[in-house]
Amino acid sequence: MLSRSVIPRVLLRRCSRIKRPIHLPLSLNGVGIPAGMSTQAPPPSSSKPSTSSSSSSPPPPPAWMSLYVPSHLHPYLYLSRMHAPIGTLLLLHPCLWSCTLAITSTVPPPSTADTAMLYCLFTAGSVAMRGAGCTINDMWDRDIDSLVARTRSRPLAAGDLTMGQAGG
């Protein structure tokens, strides 16, 4: 039995913004749709600019990419999302924190060279795993990505790279 607390209001609000009608049950264990919530999409707003372009260009490369990486490697860096490092940092932060906790709790403490080697290994692993995850996601979703405006410029969806070049 679903209660009202199981379906968050955020989900109901997101469902109300979808263009096609959503068929939600009229009652969830005796609890109806909350007041002010609708299952119909709101009327289209004319204040948003229309993006009817069928192809979008990739974002301009960051300064470091333009300066230090040959242009023929840019699609591979975009495929692994190296231009947006937040995912790598989110993966790296718990790794470095756990290494720091482990290093400070060992007796005798490891040498500085061992500590630096451990941090470098976890940093390289975070970059590699984030890149591999983004690549496999793009390989699985390449057909869908070409239909969505936000993901249309990704290398596999845009045709900059083939599946063989991406690793599959």
Side-chain angles (χ1 to χ4, degrees):
M1 301 293 166
L2 291 176
S3 68
R4 186 175 179 183
S5 63
V6 173
I7 301 176
R9 289 180 185 259
V10 174
L11 178 63
L12 290 174
R13 272 189 248 127
R14 286 184 181 165
C15 289
S16 68
R17 289 192 302 250
I18 296 176
K19 302 287 187 215
R20 58 186 167 78
I22 302 293
H23 300 288
L24 293 175
L26 293 178
S27 175
L28 301 172
N29 192 19
V31 179
I33 297 174
M37 302 304 271
S38 171
T39 59
Q40 298 296 321
S45 173
S46 61
S47 64
K48 292 182 181 177
S50 149
T51 56
S52 60
S53 172
S54 61
S55 66
S56 60
S57 60
W64 67 267
M65 195 185 292
S66 299
L67 290 174
Y68 302 114
V69 180
S71 61
H72 69 278
L73 296 178
H74 287 190
Y76 295 101
L77 295 178
Y78 278 114
L79 183 66
S80 63
R81 311 282 198 287
M82 292 296 288
H83 63 284
I86 187 65
T88 302
L89 295 175
L90 288 172
L91 183 60
L92 180 62
H93 184 267
C95 294
L96 295 183
W97 183 252
S98 62
C99 287
T100 303
L101 289 176
I103 288 167
T104 58
S105 65
T106 56
V107 176
S111 67
T112 305
D114 290 340
T115 303
M117 178 62 123
L118 191 63
Y119 284 153
C120 289
L121 285 174
F122 274 96
T123 301
S126 295
V127 170
M129 291 311 298
R130 182 1 172 52
C134 291
T135 300
I136 197 71
N137 176 54
D138 282 359
M139 290 170 73
W140 286 339
D141 292 342
R142 70 186 179 280
D143 298 328
I144 297 169
D145 286 347
S146 63
L147 302 175
V148 179
R150 183 180 64 84
T151 59
R152 192 172 290 144
S153 64
R154 291 184 178 170
L156 286 173
D160 295 339
L161 294 175
T162 64
M163 285 290 286
Q165 291 172 322

